[in-house]
Amino acid sequence: MVNFHSPTGRFYSTWHSLSSRLLTHWTNGRGASVEAAATPVIKPLVLYEYNGCPFCQRVRAVISELDLDAQVYPTPRVTIKAYAKAGDSRYRHEVQEKSGQLMFPYMEDPNTGARMSDSGAIIAYLLETYGGGARARTFSSLPISKLMLRSLRLSLYFGMLRVPSRLPAEPLIFFGAQGNAGSIRVFDALTCLELPYLWKACARGSRKEAELAELAGSSARLCLKDPNTDFVSSVPTAIVRYLYKTYQTGSMPKEMILDYSTEGASSMHGTISSKAE
């Protein structure tokens, strides 16, 4: 019997790779290359998000295109049966305390003191502050049903649902771009396991390509470094397997896509529901 949700399984790896390639296609390659001569951040942005969320994906694409860095605190959903739930989440409670709501992405810029939740506002802020006022390229517009399908990519463990894990003593370091299918696979694993990491966005044309080449070789397009174990790899499958083997502590939640509900969602969550949180 095929285990559809085993991160160490061959079927899962193939499925994950294909879905990530489809995601880069559906989003028109956004985040694949540096689009503007951006001003580098002095201190990394602070970003709370989860890669299964299409609104978070929009922000990640712009961060990649502006060649910025961010300290990421993953906030995957604790259930798909209801919105705005913190449960046993490692970082969702922090966002609730900081912003008074559970809406993602949530970003803080320690360089300016700015704090905001709405993806459109975050993108406009990043372009104005670091992109020299460059105008955002239009993102593809999809009906909400397709948006959810694009977000879920047929598995709740592709950056959507929380998996129990232990917290690393030091945050991991990841070079990668939202427009790269291999990077998306790593983002998904880091998200589900709620592993904090310094994201050094490194799309094609990045000023960090030389740093990446020194760490992982001239042909590498991504690389994960774990300072807690000295693990270094630029192979998505190896990275995903390593992360689950090293940090997963409990079984995956027994939920399915059919359990999805908009209960508790507000119109700000981008769903068809207008129910207040």
Side-chain angles (χ1 to χ4, degrees), residues 16 20 23 31 47 49-52 57 60-61 63-64 70 72 74 76 153 157-160 174-195 197-202 222-224 236 239-240 243-244:
H16 201 183
S20 298
L23 179 59
L47 186 64
E49 57 84 56
Y50 61 104
N51 202 43
Q57 293 166 8
R60 299 174 73 91
I63 288 175
S64 295
V72 181
R153 287 182 287 137
Y157 306 108
F158 294 172
M160 174 62 69
F174 183 60
F175 289 79
Q178 181 65 22
N180 177 274
S183 293
I184 289 172
R185 294 173 63 190
V186 178
F187 287 139
D188 286 345
L190 290 165
T191 295
C192 288
L193 291 166
E194 298 179 298
L195 301 177
Y197 60 100
L198 174 61
W199 175 28
K200 300 176 78 68
C202 195
L222 62 93
C223 184
L224 179 95
I239 295 172
V240 171
L243 291 174
Y244 275 94

Side-chain angles (χ1 to χ4, degrees), residues 5-13 237 240-242 244-245 248:
H5 299 302
S6 172
T8 60
R10 182 176 300 176
F11 181 87
Y12 179 99
S13 180
T237 300
V240 171
R241 290 177 177 175
Y242 165 80
Y244 275 94
K245 180 180 180 181
Q248 183 180 358

Side-chain angles (χ1 to χ4, degrees), residues 19-39:
S19 74
S20 298
R21 291 177 184 276
L22 286 173
L23 179 59
T24 61
H25 172 72
W26 281 327
T27 54
N28 299 323
R30 293 304 305 269
S33 59
V34 175
E35 297 289 336
T39 303

